Amino acid sequence: VRIRVRTLGGKKLGSIEEEFLERLMPGDRFVLGGKVYEFVKTVRGFTAVVMPAYDEKPTVPSWFSEMLPLSYDLALEISRFRGKMFEWLEKGVRGQKIVDWIMKNCRADHNIANAILQYFTEEWLYLKSRGVRKYPSDRVLMVEVFVDEDGKKYVVYHALFGRRVNDALSRAVAYLAGRRVRRNLGIIVGDHGFAIVYPPGVQVHHSYLMDIKPEDLPSVLKKAVERTELFERRFRHVATRGLMLLRRYKGTETSIRRRQFNAKKILEAVRELREFPMVKETFREILEDFMDVKNAMEVLRKIRKGEIQVVMLRPTKVPSPFAHNIVLQGMSDIVLMESRRQMLARLHNMVMKVIQRESYAIQNGDN
């Protein structure tokens, strides 16, 4: 479903997808037609009202609706693979032995296996250069803080649990952090982790993930989503299934715009009735279908029990190789005329300068 976008003065700007609108909150900034706009509100359900923010930076990354999320179980297997790779590198296993294992067990050709080894080697050397001796895996959740040239801070959680689990964890962390700093914080979510984006000048607090009790996560998420576009639009789906909204009236099919408008009016009347069946089902659909609150709670339980150790890194102006993809999602709309490949190359060059000394020291030690 396409959502029309216009300014406060009524000027038409274009359209966005409904799924993208679900992720917006008042104050969020995004790029449309090469320009930055700040989301204000929706009108009659299917018109997003924005205001120009040309001199500001986007807080919401580009939307990729066709990407399917990684399952939690598969994500854990990849995390274990990460742990095995770092264990070998730490023990001094090098080169062809690792490449052969990757080719055999991952069904990869020689070039891909070499690329994987190089990727992990660069992450390993980068972390060693920063004095880190515990690496991202199924037993270690690493948190790093990248500060860009404008002072914006990306708190990157290397949480390889799949996008649905990370969506739940990131929204809970952003909600608690946003309440503390009294600002609307950006969220970047992916299968391999997530980031909370703080504007310049705002102090970073990254202990929220450890502070959330597993049993409290559903209630925190309900508070985080209850006033969002996501909740309003999911309520429309639920109300339609529950026959509170009619698809057809007097032999004529009702438009989605009309159903959304009616759903909003109904929601205004029943929003505070938490036990109202349609409200309960909307929360359930968001937490269990859109997100994966069950496995997110399992992650928090493992952190509480010490089965997953959270390792914090000091703020830096050079993000680790594992953080590049997450950071690029947040930066891809900022440098509008620079290609993603060029941005990635620039970040990679920054990393290589950091790890050169560590690589030289290891080579001398081997000799």
Side-chain angles (χ1 to χ4, degrees):
V1 178
R2 307 298 294 180
I3 306 296
R4 292 192 295 260
V5 180
R6 66 171 177 81
T7 63
L8 289 168
K11 181 181 178 181
K12 296 180 180 179
L13 300 174
S15 63
I16 57 177
E17 294 184 23
E18 184 178 21
E19 290 84 356
F20 182 72
L21 179 64
E22 286 181 348
R23 294 181 172 270
L24 296 180
M25 297 183 65
D28 283 346
R29 296 187 295 272
F30 63 96
V31 172
L32 181 65
K35 297 180 180 179
V36 181
Y37 296 95
E38 182 176 314
F39 175 64
V40 178
K41 61 181 179 179
T42 56
V43 178
R44 299 184 68 84
F46 278 81
T47 299
V49 179
V50 300
M51 58 187 296
Y54 302 148
D55 297 329
E56 302 292 335
K57 299 295 179 64
T59 59
V60 179
S62 299
W63 171 244
F64 301 99
S65 60
E66 71 278 3
M67 292 178 61
L68 296 176
L70 190 68
S71 71
Y72 177 69
D73 293 334
L74 181 55
L76 288 183
E77 286 299 317
I78 298 174
S79 292
R80 295 186 186 101
F81 171 74
R82 278 184 171 183
K84 182 183 291 290
M85 290 291 292
F86 285 124
E87 181 181 352
W88 280 341
L89 291 171
E90 194 70 9
K91 289 181 178 179
V93 180
R94 299 287 188 273
Q96 195 59 42
K97 182 176 180 180
I98 298 179
V99 170
D100 290 342
W101 187 92
I102 294 174
M103 292 175 63
K104 179 181 178 181
N105 291 274
C106 301
R107 298 182 180 181
D109 63 29
H110 191 268
N111 291 333
I112 293 176
N114 267 316
I116 293 173
L117 175 59
Q118 181 180 353
Y119 182 49
F120 275 89
T121 301
E122 289 176 3
E123 177 73 15
W124 176 64
L125 291 173
Y126 171 88
L127 293 176
K128 284 179 70 69
S129 71
R130 298 195 60 188
V132 179
R133 292 299 179 266
K134 294 187 178 180
Y135 310 103
S137 68
D138 59 314
R139 298 184 299 274
V140 176
L141 195 162
M142 185 168 291
V143 183
E144 64 175 289
V145 181
F146 164 60
V147 185
D148 70 10
E149 297 173 352
D150 298 317
K152 184 185 293 185
K153 304 176 185 69
Y154 296 76
V155 183
V156 181
Y157 294 77
H158 294 283
L160 210 170
F161 303 121
R163 195 196 317 160
R164 291 175 61 228
V165 171
N166 287 339
D167 208 335
L169 295 175
S170 63
R171 284 179 184 265
V173 172
Y175 172 74
L176 296 175
R179 283 204 315 172
R180 179 164 183 171
V181 301
R182 298 182 180 180
R183 297 290 293 271
N184 188 26
L185 304 180
I187 301 176
I188 305 171
V189 183
D191 288 316
H192 295 71
F194 62 90
I196 309 300
V197 185
Y198 288 74
V202 178
Q203 185 177 0
V204 171
H205 301 275
H206 41 57
S207 63
Y208 297 106
L209 192 62
M210 293 84 77
D211 295 339
I212 303 174
K213 295 180 180 179
E215 61 272 18
D216 292 341
L217 181 61
S219 62
V220 172
L221 286 174
K222 288 178 181 179
K223 293 176 182 177
V225 304
E226 63 182 349
R227 297 288 176 179
T228 63
E229 289 289 332
L230 171 64
F231 189 86
E232 290 187 2
R233 292 176 186 281
R234 295 286 165 163
F235 181 81
R236 185 192 82 219
H237 299 312
V238 172
T240 301
R241 293 200 304 268
L243 302 181
M244 290 190 72
L245 296 173
L246 300 179
R247 291 181 180 273
R248 299 184 66 85
Y249 180 69
K250 293 184 177 181
T252 303
E253 185 172 353
T254 57
S255 68
I256 295 179
R257 298 179 187 278
R258 170 55 61 180
R259 291 202 296 270
Q260 182 63 43
F261 178 77
N262 292 339
K264 194 168 185 176
K265 293 298 182 182
I266 295 173
L267 183 58
E268 290 174 358
V270 303
R271 187 189 293 273
E272 303 303 325
L273 304 176
R274 290 299 185 91
E275 296 303 313
F276 189 76
M278 301 305 169
V279 173
K280 288 180 64 176
E281 174 60 16
T282 302
F283 278 125
R284 188 212 63 77
E285 181 174 302
I286 292 174
L287 268 61
E288 298 181 14
D289 298 342
F290 181 75
M291 304 178 192
D292 186 356
V293 70
K294 178 181 177 181
N295 285 318
M297 292 170 66
E298 178 64 21
V299 170
L300 294 178
R301 276 192 286 268
K302 288 182 178 180
I303 292 175
R304 287 261 165 173
K305 293 179 180 178
E307 296 176 16
I308 295 178
Q309 182 180 0
V310 179
V311 177
M312 304 285 190
L313 302 188
R314 299 185 307 275
T316 179
K317 293 186 177 181
V318 181
S320 73
F322 277 13
H324 287 179
N325 187 52
I326 297 175
V327 171
L328 280 174
Q329 287 185 48
M331 295 178 65
S332 59
D333 286 335
I334 295 177
V335 188
L336 300 176
M337 301 305 294
E338 188 175 14
S339 71
R340 184 182 178 89
R341 184 186 297 272
Q342 290 172 325
M343 292 175 65
L344 184 60
R346 189 173 66 184
L347 291 174
H348 182 257
N349 289 335
M350 293 166 63
V351 168
M352 294 308 294
K353 290 180 181 179
V354 170
I355 68 177
Q356 277 178 351
R357 292 182 181 178
E358 188 68 31
S359 179
Y360 178 76
I362 291 175
Q363 289 176 1
N364 285 346
D366 290 342
N367 293 333

XYZ file of all heavy atoms in Angstrom, residues 249-290:
364
model
N -19.517 -3.255 2.083
C -20.671 -2.632 2.732
C -21.727 -2.345 1.669
O -21.473 -1.628 0.693
C -20.247 -1.335 3.424
C -21.382 -0.626 4.135
C -21.963 -1.176 5.276
C -21.870 0.583 3.657
C -23.000 -0.536 5.925
C -22.912 1.237 4.298
C -23.472 0.673 5.437
O -24.507 1.312 6.074
N -22.897 -2.966 1.840
C -24.001 -2.827 0.894
C -23.575 -3.188 -0.526
O -23.875 -2.491 -1.499
C -24.568 -1.402 0.928
C -25.266 -1.059 2.235
C -25.892 0.325 2.183
C -26.645 0.620 3.479
N -27.285 1.970 3.449
N -22.804 -4.270 -0.605
C -22.403 -4.783 -1.904
C -21.215 -4.093 -2.538
O -20.778 -4.476 -3.625
N -20.664 -3.095 -1.875
C -19.525 -2.355 -2.424
C -18.307 -2.550 -1.529
O -18.413 -2.433 -0.302
C -19.844 -0.854 -2.529
O -21.015 -0.676 -3.326
C -18.678 -0.099 -3.158
N -17.167 -2.842 -2.137
C -15.942 -3.032 -1.359
C -15.450 -1.694 -0.821
O -15.342 -0.711 -1.559
C -14.852 -3.670 -2.221
C -13.587 -3.992 -1.429
C -12.590 -4.795 -2.231
O -12.939 -5.216 -3.354
O -11.473 -4.998 -1.735
N -15.162 -1.664 0.471
C -14.667 -0.435 1.091
C -13.178 -0.272 0.790
O -12.434 -1.249 0.702
C -14.871 -0.468 2.608
O -14.205 -1.619 3.150
C -16.352 -0.546 2.954
N -12.729 0.948 0.652
C -11.324 1.209 0.347
C -10.470 1.023 1.596
O -10.952 1.129 2.735
C -11.149 2.635 -0.177
O -11.413 3.579 0.850
N -9.193 0.747 1.376
C -8.264 0.596 2.499
C -8.159 1.908 3.268
O -8.056 1.914 4.496
C -6.880 0.147 1.991
C -6.973 -1.245 1.370
C -5.866 0.135 3.128
C -5.665 -1.764 0.826
N -8.221 3.010 2.549
C -8.141 4.315 3.212
C -9.316 4.506 4.166
O -9.149 5.007 5.279
C -8.115 5.433 2.165
C -6.911 5.373 1.257
C -6.933 6.493 0.225
N -5.853 6.320 -0.732
C -4.606 6.694 -0.523
N -4.293 7.284 0.609
N -3.676 6.499 -1.439
N -10.502 4.117 3.724
C -11.673 4.239 4.588
C -11.553 3.320 5.789
O -11.866 3.700 6.921
C -12.930 3.906 3.775
C -14.214 3.753 4.586
C -14.514 4.961 5.451
N -14.695 6.168 4.661
C -14.964 7.361 5.187
N -15.040 7.495 6.504
N -15.113 8.411 4.405
N -11.056 2.094 5.580
C -10.906 1.162 6.701
C -9.869 1.669 7.699
O -10.037 1.521 8.907
C -10.528 -0.234 6.187
C -11.649 -0.918 5.420
C -11.472 -2.432 5.407
N -10.278 -2.858 4.700
C -10.234 -3.136 3.406
N -11.326 -3.004 2.661
N -9.118 -3.547 2.839
N -8.787 2.260 7.196
C -7.772 2.794 8.104
C -8.331 3.960 8.908
O -8.070 4.088 10.107
C -6.538 3.248 7.316
C -5.398 3.772 8.185
C -4.839 2.710 9.108
O -4.643 1.573 8.703
N -4.586 3.072 10.355
N -9.109 4.802 8.258
C -9.722 5.938 8.953
C -10.671 5.450 10.045
O -10.645 5.938 11.187
C -10.474 6.819 7.948
C -11.188 7.984 8.570
C -10.494 9.112 8.970
C -12.567 7.946 8.761
C -11.154 10.186 9.552
C -13.235 9.013 9.339
C -12.528 10.138 9.736
N -11.500 4.461 9.712
C -12.432 3.912 10.698
C -11.699 3.194 11.826
O -12.099 3.268 12.995
C -13.409 2.950 10.020
C -14.363 3.665 9.079
O -14.583 4.871 9.203
N -14.934 2.932 8.128
N -10.610 2.489 11.463
C -9.832 1.781 12.484
C -9.235 2.759 13.485
O -9.182 2.485 14.693
C -8.726 0.963 11.823
N -8.791 3.900 12.996
C -8.207 4.900 13.883
C -9.250 5.443 14.853
O -8.960 5.658 16.040
C -7.608 6.037 13.053
C -6.694 6.961 13.832
C -5.909 7.867 12.899
C -4.899 8.695 13.685
N -4.056 9.522 12.785
N -10.464 5.642 14.375
C -11.536 6.127 15.243
C -11.892 5.086 16.308
O -12.108 5.417 17.477
C -12.770 6.465 14.405
C -12.595 7.655 13.477
C -12.312 8.928 14.264
C -12.188 10.134 13.345
N -11.866 11.376 14.105
N -11.949 3.827 15.902
C -12.244 2.761 16.864
C -11.132 2.661 17.898
O -11.382 2.524 19.103
C -12.428 1.414 16.137
C -13.659 1.459 15.230
C -12.553 0.270 17.141
C -13.808 0.235 14.351
N -9.884 2.744 17.425
C -8.743 2.623 18.329
C -8.735 3.741 19.363
O -8.378 3.519 20.527
C -7.438 2.627 17.528
C -6.146 2.437 18.324
C -6.183 1.128 19.106
C -4.938 2.465 17.398
N -9.115 4.936 18.960
C -9.179 6.049 19.908
C -10.149 5.749 21.045
O -9.945 6.192 22.180
C -9.600 7.328 19.186
C -8.530 7.885 18.252
C -9.035 9.067 17.440
O -10.235 9.409 17.591
O -8.254 9.641 16.661
N -11.185 4.980 20.747
C -12.200 4.672 21.760
C -11.792 3.523 22.678
O -12.195 3.481 23.844
C -13.526 4.340 21.077
N -10.976 2.588 22.166
C -10.684 1.373 22.945
C -9.213 1.246 23.332
O -8.833 0.264 23.969
C -11.109 0.111 22.156
C -12.579 0.174 21.790
C -10.257 -0.065 20.894
N -8.384 2.229 22.974
C -6.937 2.098 23.177
C -6.570 1.779 24.622
O -5.670 0.976 24.892
C -6.224 3.383 22.746
C -4.696 3.255 22.771
C -4.042 4.606 22.545
N -4.274 5.115 21.214
C -3.502 4.827 20.160
N -2.478 4.006 20.302
N -3.765 5.356 18.984
N -7.225 2.416 25.573
C -6.882 2.228 26.981
C -7.443 0.937 27.563
O -7.120 0.577 28.698
C -7.382 3.425 27.798
C -6.842 4.773 27.332
C -5.323 4.821 27.324
O -4.708 4.184 28.214
O -4.753 5.476 26.433
N -8.265 0.245 26.810
C -8.840 -1.019 27.285
C -7.898 -2.156 26.896
O -8.075 -2.814 25.877
C -10.234 -1.234 26.687
C -11.253 -0.111 26.926
C -12.555 -0.417 26.202
C -11.501 0.072 28.423
N -6.879 -2.393 27.719
C -5.847 -3.368 27.382
C -6.405 -4.779 27.201
O -5.811 -5.601 26.516
C -4.762 -3.379 28.467
C -3.899 -2.120 28.502
C -3.165 -1.943 27.182
N -2.250 -0.819 27.202
C -0.978 -0.896 27.545
N -0.469 -2.054 27.898
N -0.217 0.174 27.537
N -7.536 -5.073 27.857
C -8.121 -6.409 27.751
C -9.123 -6.516 26.613
O -9.726 -7.573 26.420
C -8.795 -6.785 29.079
C -7.829 -6.903 30.255
C -6.722 -7.911 29.982
O -7.042 -9.027 29.518
O -5.547 -7.588 30.234
N -9.316 -5.429 25.875
C -10.215 -5.487 24.727
C -9.631 -6.469 23.711
O -8.444 -6.390 23.374
C -10.360 -4.098 24.103
C -11.431 -4.009 23.059
C -12.766 -3.970 23.419
C -11.104 -3.975 21.711
C -13.762 -3.886 22.457
C -12.085 -3.893 20.740
C -13.424 -3.849 21.121
N -10.404 -7.434 23.231
C -9.853 -8.519 22.395
C -9.018 -8.039 21.211
O -7.956 -8.610 20.934
C -11.107 -9.267 21.931
C -12.110 -9.016 23.002
C -11.841 -7.625 23.486
N -9.470 -7.001 20.512
C -8.736 -6.548 19.334
C -7.420 -5.867 19.717
O -6.426 -5.974 18.992
C -9.597 -5.591 18.502
C -10.896 -6.208 18.023
S -10.622 -7.744 17.105
C -12.298 -8.363 16.988
N -7.417 -5.184 20.852
C -6.183 -4.555 21.328
C -5.182 -5.631 21.746
O -3.991 -5.564 21.409
C -6.475 -3.596 22.499
C -5.173 -3.065 23.102
C -7.346 -2.433 22.030
N -5.658 -6.642 22.477
C -4.782 -7.734 22.895
C -4.197 -8.467 21.693
O -3.009 -8.800 21.671
C -5.561 -8.719 23.776
C -5.901 -8.203 25.164
C -6.678 -9.240 25.961
C -5.856 -10.478 26.221
N -6.581 -11.454 27.082
N -5.026 -8.712 20.687
C -4.553 -9.423 19.505
C -3.548 -8.583 18.717
O -2.594 -9.123 18.144
C -5.737 -9.808 18.618
C -5.369 -10.435 17.276
C -4.563 -11.716 17.389
O -4.516 -12.310 18.485
O -3.962 -12.123 16.375
N -3.734 -7.269 18.701
C -2.775 -6.403 18.006
C -1.412 -6.465 18.678
O -0.380 -6.586 18.010
C -3.281 -4.949 17.976
O -4.558 -4.903 17.344
C -2.315 -4.062 17.199
N -1.402 -6.384 20.005
C -0.137 -6.519 20.729
C 0.491 -7.885 20.461
O 1.698 -7.994 20.238
C -0.358 -6.341 22.236
C -0.418 -4.906 22.688
C -1.499 -4.431 23.408
C 0.617 -4.030 22.403
C -1.558 -3.112 23.833
C 0.574 -2.704 22.822
C -0.515 -2.246 23.537
N -0.336 -8.932 20.480
C 0.196 -10.274 20.242
C 0.800 -10.390 18.852
O 1.884 -10.959 18.671
C -0.918 -11.318 20.405
C -0.399 -12.770 20.359
C -1.409 -13.715 19.765
N -1.701 -13.398 18.375
C -0.903 -13.698 17.350
N 0.255 -14.303 17.552
N -1.247 -13.367 16.110
N 0.110 -9.850 17.848
C 0.605 -9.945 16.478
C 1.936 -9.221 16.322
O 2.845 -9.715 15.647
C -0.427 -9.363 15.510
C 0.000 -9.453 14.054
C -1.085 -9.000 13.093
O -2.189 -9.578 13.130
O -0.817 -8.066 12.309
N 2.064 -8.061 16.946
C 3.311 -7.302 16.834
C 4.445 -8.022 17.550
O 5.542 -8.187 17.006
C 3.130 -5.881 17.403
C 2.175 -5.073 16.523
C 4.474 -5.170 17.511
C 1.822 -3.711 17.078
N 4.201 -8.467 18.782
C 5.261 -9.065 19.591
C 5.647 -10.466 19.122
O 6.824 -10.838 19.202
C 4.841 -9.112 21.063
C 5.242 -7.903 21.918
C 4.623 -6.624 21.381
C 4.832 -8.118 23.378
N 4.692 -11.238 18.617
C 4.975 -12.633 18.296
C 5.135 -12.901 16.803
O 5.869 -13.824 16.427
C 3.869 -13.530 18.858
C 3.765 -13.479 20.374
C 2.679 -14.396 20.913
O 2.187 -15.256 20.144
O 2.314 -14.253 22.093
N 4.452 -12.135 15.957
C 4.537 -12.367 14.516
C 5.513 -11.398 13.846
O 6.404 -11.817 13.107
C 3.153 -12.242 13.870
C 2.178 -13.287 14.396
O 2.646 -14.282 14.982
O 0.960 -13.106 14.227
N 5.320 -10.109 14.094
C 6.207 -9.105 13.513
C 7.590 -9.179 14.163
O 8.615 -9.133 13.485
C 5.596 -7.715 13.700
C 6.411 -6.603 13.111
C 6.440 -6.398 11.739
C 7.150 -5.757 13.920
C 7.196 -5.372 11.188
C 7.902 -4.732 13.386
C 7.925 -4.535 12.011
